[in-house]
Amino acid sequence: MEDFLSRLRELEESGSAAIRAASAPDELEQVRVQILGRKARLTQLLRGVRELPQAQRPQAGAEANRVKDSLIALFDQRAAELTQGPEERAPQVDLTLPGRGRWRGARHPCTLVTDEICDIFKELGFVRARGPEAESTWYNFTALNTPLDHPAADEQDTFYLADDIVLRTHTSPVQARVMQEWQPPVRIVVPGLVYRRDPYDASHAPAFEQIEGLAVDEGISFVDFKASISYFVHRFFGEDTATRFRPSFFPFTEPSAEVDVSCLLCHGEGCSACKGTGWLEIMGAGMVDPAVFDNVGYDSERYTGFAFGMGVGRIAMLRYRIPDIRLLYESDVRFLQQFERA
Amino acid sequence: MNVSYRWLKELGPTIEDSATELAERLTYTAVPVDDVVWLGEGLDELVIGKVLSVDEHPNADKLVICKVDIGGDEPVQVVTGAPVVVEGGFYPYVGAGQTLPGGLLIKKRKMRGEPSEGMLCSERELGIGRDAAGIMQLHGEYEVGQPLLQALELDDYRLDVDVTPNRPDLLGHWGVARELAPGGNADLRLPDFPGQVRCASSIAKVKNEGVTAGVTVRIEDPEGCPRYMGAVIRGVTIGPSPEWLGNRLRAIGQQPISNVVDATNYVLHELNQPLHAFDLATLSGPAVVIRRARKGERLRTLDGKDRVLDPEMLVIADAEVPTAMAGLMGGEATEVTENTRDLFLECAYFDPRRVRRAAKGLALDSDASFRFQRGIDPDGLPRAMQRLIELILTLAGGSLDGDVIDVNPRPSAPGIVTLRPARVGHLLGVELEPGTIKACLEPIGFQVGKDKAGSLEVEVPTWRPDIEREVDLIEEVARRHGYDRFPGAMRTFRPTAVREDEYVESFHRLREVMIGLGFLEAKTTPFVPQGEGDVRLLNPLSEPEDHLRADLLTGLVHRVEHNLARGQRDIRLFELGTAFSAAAGPVPTESIRLAATWTGGRAPAHWLAEANDWDVWDLKWILGTVASLATPGADVRPADPSEHSATLDEALAVIAPDGRTLGRAGRLPAARVDAPPWAGDVWALEVEVTPGRPATVDYRPLPVHPAVERDLALLVEKQMAIAEVGAVIRETGPATLESLWVFDVYEGENLPQGTRSVAWRLRFRAADRTLTDEEVDRALGKITSALQEKLNVAVRGA
Ligand SMILES: [Zn+2]
């Protein structure tokens, strides 16, 4: 019985292969005679059913008939295929052709970075704030503890619209505006365009995006500041990115700090991006200077806080390895399209 | 500020760290060091050579043949074109097979037939100075064959320190050494100069005016000049500085000039005290008067420029005219020259604000003014004066005449700042013991008093004008303790009371929609030429772009042109930004806008589809979509022919619910776009963003009864707006008229002259029942007769 079934199976396989291989009607007819004809092997096998023991005959017969039917069906199908012209065959869709598309848009790389930064700070309870781009010198300098006759004011070369009206040199004036309007707790991030009198070159533009942050409440300390900034660095640049804080000077923070991260390109080995130091400067920050609180009418004994600011273009350039800041402002569609999937 | 590592170690003998370790320490605890440069770069192989003889070259007028002793058995022969080579002089020598700092490989070669084994070098070739004209003759005696690095003290590092404006004390080597020496201030000492001449001077203190060595010194403006010290040295010989001083100055990137000038420069960089030497013979009186300039007075400064002065400026004058700009620069007429015999030395403290104002007014920068503006140490004057006197006596001879006069109408008083250790802990988040606080502050010159009821009285050293408040001291503690020693532990925080800016949501939605429509976000320059804006900058970067943009669209169109010029035909740009317009006051009005420009195909090319460019119907859809997002309730309608006709064709306007025009859109006339012939039409829109939440959604039950639809083909005169027809249908239709839309507009044959056929589909539905045909027919009849009556619009074929 086993022998019978295995011969049947072998015959089904070889028969199917022979039918599929036939490439012309007369060739197919030869195959038919060999397999299904009067003297063919299948016919002989079917006759052999009778010689099996009585008990095995129904199963063997059924299996043999199934093979016969399937071979006949295959034969008919192949016969139809071989007699039809190519144009009559079932239409074949070539799915390697492209689909019908729509244009894809893209956010500007600075927006991508801004949104991501704001989202991370949102996890820490910060909401977005905004303010005017043309500012009084009071908001841009005085409120932020930067007297105009102090050399610190030279650090930012300023565009003037009138004697006491400037294009804001940083987003920090929004700090003062928000604090004048709201009482603590304050937790804000401020993305926006800022202006400095720097001519265009590979790393400078006279108008560029900045993002600023401010947290004010009772009991906020340098420890909270370090924790929040480190949280951001890890979320934005990756868990294995190292952060270092080093002294700096900004008139509106004290203690002031410059925040460096381990170089994203060389991971601290030293390369041209980090000028061989292994570190990249990413933000200026610090504890809010009490003079700023005094200027906006907050009790500087009761409230403390921290603030930070960074150049969005610079961060975008680091993240996407853009070599020249001017690419951000040229609006070349071949550049902007690269961010459609970002 | 350039700092020499060797110089630092001389002032602070306890400093043992390497230059890079010092740089790291300074960066982590005080101010950043941008670079550490090894000055001996490429100079390892150079030696001192002594020229034994100089002979004419037999075949060339401009060349000479030198025999140079470089410490070997035989002198080497060097052929040089240097204009002056002195027999017996010492020179830097580089031999064949060796390279100069610039990478130039020296080869043995024949010059006009005479072999030359090496080369005598100029300062520039060594990378230590600017002088390229001649080879560098060394002054004094040297050991022949000695490595140049040691001979010229070039085995040194230059630290490029980025001194922040709050740290004037770090603008001299003494202050930097104080910051870095393990024991701080107590470890510092002033080393002797080679061949130091000592001078026991006595100081004559006066309030406003005094006389020394026949020179009257008077302060007329004590506010501008609280302290002025003067001294007279007679019988000096002006000449070049010795090599040690030249080396020192070159190490920090300065050029040696002459002994007296170099001496003032040396003390400036050592003790951070600007100094000036006058040629005493040129001072009329002789008198030195510190006063306000008189209106219209003039002075030619050392840089050769004629300056017109005003009374806001402080000058040093003799009995008649100004001789120097106080704190900025000396005058040409009183400058020390090679013929100068007697000197008047100035060592003063000038008010930072006054110096700053004058420096700004005259656009005059100098090492001196940079330091005065930041504030020097008023109590450091006597030591700097003594150092300068001894250095000049050492270098230029002569003798001190009379007392050193110290005119001091406003003596400084040490600042006292109260520091509460509890406040230190409160702000820094870590409790620090008074002992720890003391250990942070005392090495750098602060005197920390006893703890009285939880506060410490801290005396601030006079070289730290930046320390005025408790928080300034807390920063000192934090940085001296080390920022990295504070933990960064996340603690709970309260949610903010500030409500998020209302534009944020609008920006977000608009960006989503524009990107969904296939637009690329651009950021364009806000600076535009006159004509594209009416808000002028007082100090623009460049002349043509001296205004702020009045709209975003113009800039975006330029970006479309930029892309067309680069062969791009399919361009879709949008920008969210601020436009400025002049207002009644000095503050311009800012308007937040969304603008977009696009041209080319409506979709990427596809093998099945015909290329199809954007048209006005796309414009209308896009504008309608963004308008209501930009300003909830805003409506789009065709612009009045009078509006924008010059700037946009097929113009549409966006109207606010209050009737104000919020924006415009249309096709740019060909004349307005610099486009190649293959470019498509350029479409544009700009709309003001006025935040506000879009209307809330109120769910309506879904219909349960079937709708009945009827088509209505109407003959409408071509001049008539189809919207008018729609309005009449809507007005006269029953409450069951659920919706209506145009599904075909036909113009052409078989129509009466001047008309078009507009096919409407009307959908009727009742909420509570199935409508009957009769009901709908009646409604339709009412509509058609109203159309006939009110608009003279007939049903086609009726
Ligand atoms: Zn790197």
Side-chain angles (χ1 to χ4, degrees), chain A residues 304-323:
Chain A
T304 49
F306 62 85
F308 56 87
M310 55 195 139
V312 172
R314 179 176 157 73
I315 307 258
M317 288 166 74
L318 288 172
R319 161 150 292 190
Y320 304 114
R321 308 193 181 193
I322 300 167

PDB file of all heavy atoms in Angstrom, chain A residues 304-323:
ATOM      1  N   THR A 304      13.458  81.914  42.791  1.00  0.00           N
ATOM      2  CA  THR A 304      14.701  81.661  42.061  1.00  0.00           C
ATOM      3  C   THR A 304      14.312  80.947  40.776  1.00  0.00           C
ATOM      4  O   THR A 304      13.164  80.527  40.615  1.00  0.00           O
ATOM      5  CB  THR A 304      15.674  80.777  42.872  1.00  0.00           C
ATOM      6  OG1 THR A 304      14.956  79.641  43.355  1.00  0.00           O
ATOM      7  CG2 THR A 304      16.264  81.538  44.036  1.00  0.00           C
ATOM      8  N   GLY A 305      15.262  80.821  39.882  1.00  0.00           N
ATOM      9  CA  GLY A 305      14.924  80.155  38.632  1.00  0.00           C
ATOM     10  C   GLY A 305      16.136  79.992  37.749  1.00  0.00           C
ATOM     11  O   GLY A 305      17.227  80.435  38.094  1.00  0.00           O
ATOM     12  N   PHE A 306      15.911  79.320  36.631  1.00  0.00           N
ATOM     13  CA  PHE A 306      17.009  79.192  35.674  1.00  0.00           C
ATOM     14  C   PHE A 306      16.511  79.549  34.283  1.00  0.00           C
ATOM     15  O   PHE A 306      15.305  79.539  34.015  1.00  0.00           O
ATOM     16  CB  PHE A 306      17.639  77.793  35.703  1.00  0.00           C
ATOM     17  CG  PHE A 306      16.713  76.657  35.334  1.00  0.00           C
ATOM     18  CD1 PHE A 306      16.502  76.305  34.000  1.00  0.00           C
ATOM     19  CD2 PHE A 306      16.085  75.908  36.326  1.00  0.00           C
ATOM     20  CE1 PHE A 306      15.672  75.244  33.672  1.00  0.00           C
ATOM     21  CE2 PHE A 306      15.246  74.851  36.001  1.00  0.00           C
ATOM     22  CZ  PHE A 306      15.038  74.515  34.671  1.00  0.00           C
ATOM     23  N   ALA A 307      17.459  79.898  33.425  1.00  0.00           N
ATOM     24  CA  ALA A 307      17.146  80.266  32.047  1.00  0.00           C
ATOM     25  C   ALA A 307      18.222  79.687  31.147  1.00  0.00           C
ATOM     26  O   ALA A 307      19.340  79.424  31.590  1.00  0.00           O
ATOM     27  CB  ALA A 307      17.094  81.784  31.898  1.00  0.00           C
ATOM     28  N   PHE A 308      17.844  79.477  29.899  1.00  0.00           N
ATOM     29  CA  PHE A 308      18.825  78.953  28.941  1.00  0.00           C
ATOM     30  C   PHE A 308      18.451  79.443  27.548  1.00  0.00           C
ATOM     31  O   PHE A 308      17.307  79.827  27.308  1.00  0.00           O
ATOM     32  CB  PHE A 308      18.857  77.422  28.966  1.00  0.00           C
ATOM     33  CG  PHE A 308      17.514  76.782  28.710  1.00  0.00           C
ATOM     34  CD1 PHE A 308      17.090  76.527  27.406  1.00  0.00           C
ATOM     35  CD2 PHE A 308      16.674  76.457  29.756  1.00  0.00           C
ATOM     36  CE1 PHE A 308      15.844  75.945  27.160  1.00  0.00           C
ATOM     37  CE2 PHE A 308      15.420  75.893  29.514  1.00  0.00           C
ATOM     38  CZ  PHE A 308      15.011  75.636  28.231  1.00  0.00           C
ATOM     39  N   GLY A 309      19.416  79.443  26.662  1.00  0.00           N
ATOM     40  CA  GLY A 309      19.146  79.849  25.289  1.00  0.00           C
ATOM     41  C   GLY A 309      20.090  79.142  24.348  1.00  0.00           C
ATOM     42  O   GLY A 309      21.239  78.873  24.695  1.00  0.00           O
ATOM     43  N   MET A 310      19.576  78.784  23.177  1.00  0.00           N
ATOM     44  CA  MET A 310      20.472  78.152  22.194  1.00  0.00           C
ATOM     45  C   MET A 310      20.081  78.534  20.779  1.00  0.00           C
ATOM     46  O   MET A 310      18.948  78.919  20.513  1.00  0.00           O
ATOM     47  CB  MET A 310      20.503  76.638  22.366  1.00  0.00           C
ATOM     48  CG  MET A 310      19.161  75.945  22.331  1.00  0.00           C
ATOM     49  SD  MET A 310      19.310  74.253  22.962  1.00  0.00           S
ATOM     50  CE  MET A 310      17.809  74.151  23.925  1.00  0.00           C
ATOM     51  N   GLY A 311      21.044  78.421  19.894  1.00  0.00           N
ATOM     52  CA  GLY A 311      20.825  78.725  18.487  1.00  0.00           C
ATOM     53  C   GLY A 311      20.254  77.504  17.782  1.00  0.00           C
ATOM     54  O   GLY A 311      20.892  76.452  17.734  1.00  0.00           O
ATOM     55  N   VAL A 312      19.054  77.659  17.263  1.00  0.00           N
ATOM     56  CA  VAL A 312      18.376  76.524  16.632  1.00  0.00           C
ATOM     57  C   VAL A 312      19.116  76.098  15.369  1.00  0.00           C
ATOM     58  O   VAL A 312      19.290  74.907  15.107  1.00  0.00           O
ATOM     59  CB  VAL A 312      16.919  76.897  16.309  1.00  0.00           C
ATOM     60  CG1 VAL A 312      16.254  75.821  15.476  1.00  0.00           C
ATOM     61  CG2 VAL A 312      16.145  77.121  17.598  1.00  0.00           C
ATOM     62  N   GLY A 313      19.573  77.089  14.587  1.00  0.00           N
ATOM     63  CA  GLY A 313      20.287  76.766  13.352  1.00  0.00           C
ATOM     64  C   GLY A 313      21.526  75.931  13.634  1.00  0.00           C
ATOM     65  O   GLY A 313      21.804  74.954  12.943  1.00  0.00           O
ATOM     66  N   ARG A 314      22.246  76.315  14.679  1.00  0.00           N
ATOM     67  CA  ARG A 314      23.456  75.584  15.024  1.00  0.00           C
ATOM     68  C   ARG A 314      23.132  74.124  15.383  1.00  0.00           C
ATOM     69  O   ARG A 314      23.815  73.193  14.969  1.00  0.00           O
ATOM     70  CB  ARG A 314      24.145  76.277  16.201  1.00  0.00           C
ATOM     71  CG  ARG A 314      25.400  75.593  16.650  1.00  0.00           C
ATOM     72  CD  ARG A 314      26.106  76.360  17.755  1.00  0.00           C
ATOM     73  NE  ARG A 314      26.963  75.474  18.523  1.00  0.00           N
ATOM     74  CZ  ARG A 314      28.100  74.981  18.079  1.00  0.00           C
ATOM     75  NH1 ARG A 314      28.506  75.276  16.870  1.00  0.00           N
ATOM     76  NH2 ARG A 314      28.817  74.159  18.827  1.00  0.00           N
ATOM     77  N   ILE A 315      22.052  73.957  16.160  1.00  0.00           N
ATOM     78  CA  ILE A 315      21.678  72.600  16.562  1.00  0.00           C
ATOM     79  C   ILE A 315      21.238  71.802  15.331  1.00  0.00           C
ATOM     80  O   ILE A 315      21.582  70.632  15.176  1.00  0.00           O
ATOM     81  CB  ILE A 315      20.534  72.655  17.601  1.00  0.00           C
ATOM     82  CG1 ILE A 315      20.920  73.579  18.743  1.00  0.00           C
ATOM     83  CG2 ILE A 315      20.144  71.267  18.052  1.00  0.00           C
ATOM     84  CD1 ILE A 315      21.360  72.964  19.996  1.00  0.00           C
ATOM     85  N   ALA A 316      20.476  72.457  14.436  1.00  0.00           N
ATOM     86  CA  ALA A 316      20.032  71.771  13.218  1.00  0.00           C
ATOM     87  C   ALA A 316      21.245  71.381  12.382  1.00  0.00           C
ATOM     88  O   ALA A 316      21.293  70.279  11.818  1.00  0.00           O
ATOM     89  CB  ALA A 316      19.097  72.676  12.416  1.00  0.00           C
ATOM     90  N   MET A 317      22.228  72.276  12.324  1.00  0.00           N
ATOM     91  CA  MET A 317      23.417  71.968  11.534  1.00  0.00           C
ATOM     92  C   MET A 317      24.158  70.767  12.114  1.00  0.00           C
ATOM     93  O   MET A 317      24.654  69.918  11.379  1.00  0.00           O
ATOM     94  CB  MET A 317      24.332  73.193  11.482  1.00  0.00           C
ATOM     95  CG  MET A 317      23.775  74.302  10.600  1.00  0.00           C
ATOM     96  SD  MET A 317      24.616  75.878  10.855  1.00  0.00           S
ATOM     97  CE  MET A 317      26.175  75.554  10.019  1.00  0.00           C
ATOM     98  N   LEU A 318      24.219  70.696  13.436  1.00  0.00           N
ATOM     99  CA  LEU A 318      24.876  69.555  14.069  1.00  0.00           C
ATOM    100  C   LEU A 318      24.094  68.280  13.809  1.00  0.00           C
ATOM    101  O   LEU A 318      24.646  67.254  13.434  1.00  0.00           O
ATOM    102  CB  LEU A 318      24.959  69.767  15.589  1.00  0.00           C
ATOM    103  CG  LEU A 318      25.955  70.815  16.078  1.00  0.00           C
ATOM    104  CD1 LEU A 318      25.775  71.041  17.569  1.00  0.00           C
ATOM    105  CD2 LEU A 318      27.365  70.338  15.779  1.00  0.00           C
ATOM    106  N   ARG A 319      22.777  68.371  13.995  1.00  0.00           N
ATOM    107  CA  ARG A 319      21.957  67.167  13.883  1.00  0.00           C
ATOM    108  C   ARG A 319      21.939  66.603  12.469  1.00  0.00           C
ATOM    109  O   ARG A 319      22.046  65.411  12.271  1.00  0.00           O
ATOM    110  CB  ARG A 319      20.538  67.482  14.347  1.00  0.00           C
ATOM    111  CG  ARG A 319      19.539  66.469  13.858  1.00  0.00           C
ATOM    112  CD  ARG A 319      18.384  66.297  14.765  1.00  0.00           C
ATOM    113  NE  ARG A 319      18.769  65.682  16.025  1.00  0.00           N
ATOM    114  CZ  ARG A 319      17.886  65.256  16.913  1.00  0.00           C
ATOM    115  NH1 ARG A 319      16.604  65.393  16.676  1.00  0.00           N
ATOM    116  NH2 ARG A 319      18.277  64.723  18.035  1.00  0.00           N
ATOM    117  N   TYR A 320      21.793  67.497  11.478  1.00  0.00           N
ATOM    118  CA  TYR A 320      21.658  67.016  10.094  1.00  0.00           C
ATOM    119  C   TYR A 320      22.961  67.137   9.318  1.00  0.00           C
ATOM    120  O   TYR A 320      22.985  66.923   8.116  1.00  0.00           O
ATOM    121  CB  TYR A 320      20.543  67.784   9.383  1.00  0.00           C
ATOM    122  CG  TYR A 320      19.214  67.714  10.100  1.00  0.00           C
ATOM    123  CD1 TYR A 320      18.627  68.841  10.653  1.00  0.00           C
ATOM    124  CD2 TYR A 320      18.566  66.489  10.245  1.00  0.00           C
ATOM    125  CE1 TYR A 320      17.414  68.765  11.321  1.00  0.00           C
ATOM    126  CE2 TYR A 320      17.364  66.402  10.919  1.00  0.00           C
ATOM    127  CZ  TYR A 320      16.791  67.544  11.455  1.00  0.00           C
ATOM    128  OH  TYR A 320      15.601  67.464  12.123  1.00  0.00           O
ATOM    129  N   ARG A 321      24.040  67.522   9.992  1.00  0.00           N
ATOM    130  CA  ARG A 321      25.354  67.663   9.366  1.00  0.00           C
ATOM    131  C   ARG A 321      25.308  68.618   8.180  1.00  0.00           C
ATOM    132  O   ARG A 321      25.766  68.316   7.084  1.00  0.00           O
ATOM    133  CB  ARG A 321      25.904  66.310   8.941  1.00  0.00           C
ATOM    134  CG  ARG A 321      25.856  65.359  10.115  1.00  0.00           C
ATOM    135  CD  ARG A 321      26.626  64.120   9.940  1.00  0.00           C
ATOM    136  NE  ARG A 321      26.447  63.334  11.151  1.00  0.00           N
ATOM    137  CZ  ARG A 321      27.155  62.284  11.477  1.00  0.00           C
ATOM    138  NH1 ARG A 321      28.113  61.887  10.701  1.00  0.00           N
ATOM    139  NH2 ARG A 321      26.927  61.640  12.604  1.00  0.00           N
ATOM    140  N   ILE A 322      24.687  69.764   8.409  1.00  0.00           N
ATOM    141  CA  ILE A 322      24.622  70.800   7.384  1.00  0.00           C
ATOM    142  C   ILE A 322      25.861  71.676   7.545  1.00  0.00           C
ATOM    143  O   ILE A 322      26.108  72.193   8.624  1.00  0.00           O
ATOM    144  CB  ILE A 322      23.344  71.649   7.569  1.00  0.00           C
ATOM    145  CG1 ILE A 322      22.112  70.755   7.442  1.00  0.00           C
ATOM    146  CG2 ILE A 322      23.305  72.788   6.553  1.00  0.00           C
ATOM    147  CD1 ILE A 322      20.821  71.405   7.919  1.00  0.00           C
ATOM    148  N   PRO A 323      26.665  71.828   6.492  1.00  0.00           N
ATOM    149  CA  PRO A 323      27.954  72.495   6.682  1.00  0.00           C
ATOM    150  C   PRO A 323      27.884  74.022   6.700  1.00  0.00           C
ATOM    151  O   PRO A 323      28.810  74.662   7.172  1.00  0.00           O
ATOM    152  CB  PRO A 323      28.766  72.023   5.476  1.00  0.00           C
ATOM    153  CG  PRO A 323      27.739  71.753   4.424  1.00  0.00           C
ATOM    154  CD  PRO A 323      26.504  71.286   5.142  1.00  0.00           C
TER     155      PRO A 323
END
